[in-house]
Amino acid sequence: MASLRRVKVLLVLNLIAVAGFVLFLAKCRPITAKSGDSFRDIHPRAEVANWTAHGISSIQDAVLKRLSLLEDIVYRQLNGLSKSLGLIEGYGGRGKGGLPATLSPEEEEKAKGPHEKYGYNSYLSEKISLDRSIPDYRPTKCKELKYGKDLPQISIIFIFVNEALSVILRSVHSAVNHTPAHLLKEIILVDDNSDEEELKAPLEEYVNKRYPGLVKVVRNQKREGLIRARIEGWKAATAQITGFFDAHVEFTAGWAEPVLSRIQENRRRVILPSIDNIKQDNFEVQRYENSAHGYSWELWCMYISPPKDWWDAGDPSLPIR
């Protein structure tokens, strides 16, 4: 904790120093020299412009280089937090790009127990980075859409009970990595009275140090069930919009803007983003084709084909009712 505090102080001091240096140079003017009774610029106007452009470019390069170095120092410090939990950060490693992740024969034996416990390969999950990259399956037209800068903020709420720690933290990392910072008000983790020790102090200490002030943990004193747990998360939320998610998800770039834009247009809307699949055995990301969401008579969630008028419009970026 002390080392992390020192790094933060170093970062702030360096930023202040760099900002002061840039402001000092911005105040400078071309030097003039006296010639007889008149003054003339040492640099002709064109030369001054070239020098200024070159100087600003050099300053920008130096600032970016310094910030990159400081970011690397801070990242190494924060990365140590996940290592203490036996977890991995960074964008590479197993399962990179949403591809199937694998275990060695020896690891397969160790994975059997946790797999039966959680219903997915939690042992393999610990070998996959919390920040792994996954494919962006959005239609091209969706990627081309532009949104205003005045979108409302969102509180992301994850509900869990005895979920694997690595899966919860991957959900958190993914939300932070793929939601624009100015749109993400907070992340709220609602623990519906879990029994697992790693979901108590280890989880709370990690998110408090890794994302100070951004992630809140709400603890139910008894098992409340899914809906009441969601209500507890909603009570703790402070953003204009709340989003409820399972604690075993991964977000892609550009997920938030269309959701927030649609609700901004009409606050009565309830939005469900398009959901791809993460396979339980190897964490491969599997694309689901365009579909609407509905329920069977037994109230099981199901995917149904969009209505004919949606297909006739020929625009995959349009919402599906």
Side-chain angles (χ1 to χ4, degrees):
M1 188 64 185
S3 61
L4 181 59
R5 190 179 296 111
R6 285 196 296 272
V7 169
K8 289 181 179 178
V9 172
L10 176 63
L11 177 60
V12 171
L13 291 176
N14 274 271
L15 288 175
I16 293 173
V18 171
F21 180 64
V22 171
L23 289 173
F24 170 76
L25 289 180
K27 293 292 184 181
C28 292
R29 294 290 185 272
I31 301 173
T32 57
K34 189 172 183 179
S35 177
D37 295 329
S38 64
F39 289 86
R40 64 179 177 84
D41 290 343
I42 288 180
H43 300 284
R45 184 180 298 273
E47 291 181 8
V48 171
N50 290 337
W51 179 88
T52 303
H54 176 73
I56 291 176
S57 177
S58 299
I59 293 171
Q60 289 175 337
D61 290 343
V63 170
L64 290 175
K65 186 175 181 181
R66 173 62 62 86
L67 289 176
S68 178
L69 176 62
L70 293 175
E71 183 180 33
D72 186 54
I73 294 172
V74 174
Y75 177 78
R76 285 200 300 271
Q77 291 288 332
L78 295 177
N79 195 24
L81 297 175
S82 62
K83 286 182 178 178
S84 66
L85 297 174
L87 303 178
I88 306 166
E89 292 190 39
Y91 294 97
R94 302 187 213 189
K96 176 184 177 182
L99 295 175
T102 58
L103 294 172
S104 67
E106 295 78 14
E107 290 174 325
E108 287 284 1
E109 285 299 316
K110 298 177 182 178
K112 288 182 179 179
H115 195 300
E116 294 174 358
K117 177 179 179 180
Y118 292 106
Y120 51 76
N121 198 336
S122 62
Y123 183 88
L124 175 59
S125 175
E126 294 175 358
K127 310 301 178 185
I128 299 173
S129 172
L130 301 178
D131 302 298
R132 74 153 175 172
S133 59
I134 61 174
D136 185 350
Y137 285 136
R138 290 178 298 163
T140 301
K141 193 162 184 177
C142 289
K143 299 177 184 179
E144 295 172 349
L145 293 175
K146 305 296 182 183
Y147 300 94
K149 297 184 180 299
D150 61 338
L151 294 175
Q153 291 184 309
I154 187 171
S155 295
I156 293 178
I157 302 172
F158 292 119
I159 312 297
F160 67 90
V161 55
N162 292 332
E163 193 94 55
L165 178 60
S166 62
V167 171
I168 295 174
L169 293 183
R170 189 173 300 108
S171 301
V172 172
H173 276 246
S174 178
V176 173
N177 292 342
H178 295 111
T179 308
H182 69 287
L183 300 180
L184 180 58
K185 181 66 177 294
E186 63 205 350
I187 295 175
I188 300 172
L189 301 177
V190 182
D191 174 14
D192 196 20
N193 199 30
S194 297
D195 303 316
E196 299 292 332
E197 286 302 320
E198 67 177 6
L199 300 182
K200 300 184 186 305
L203 168 63
E204 202 149 345
E205 289 175 4
Y206 177 86
V207 296
N208 286 341
K209 292 178 180 178
R210 186 67 176 81
Y211 300 113
L214 180 64
V215 180
K216 302 176 183 177
V217 181
V218 175
R219 306 273 187 189
N220 289 340
Q221 298 306 307
K222 65 176 182 176
R223 192 72 48 81
E224 297 287 357
L226 179 62
I227 301 304
R228 280 196 287 265
R230 285 177 172 172
I231 292 173
E232 291 303 314
W234 174 77
K235 289 178 181 178
T238 60
Q240 292 174 281
I241 295 174
T242 52
F244 298 91
F245 299 90
D246 292 328
H248 45 257
V249 299
E250 294 181 57
F251 296 83
T252 55
W255 78 272
E257 292 89 335
V259 170
L260 301 178
S261 176
R262 298 266 307 151
I263 297 176
Q264 186 181 49
E265 293 170 1
N266 183 350
R267 61 181 293 272
R268 295 181 180 274
R269 286 176 176 155
V270 177
I271 307 298
L272 181 61
S274 179
I275 300 174
D276 295 312
N277 184 42
I278 302 174
K279 293 187 177 180
Q280 62 183 14
D281 295 324
N282 56 22
F283 288 82
E284 176 186 4
V285 178
Q286 178 186 36
R287 180 184 181 182
Y288 276 178
E289 295 302 323
N290 293 325
S291 61
H293 292 75
Y295 295 89
S296 68
W297 287 108
E298 293 81 18
L299 294 184
W300 288 103
C301 181
M302 59 185 292
Y303 297 95
I304 57 179
S305 179
K308 183 177 182 300
D309 59 352
W310 186 86
W311 289 111
D312 291 342
D315 184 355
S317 69
L318 293 176
I320 304 170
R321 186 173 177 79

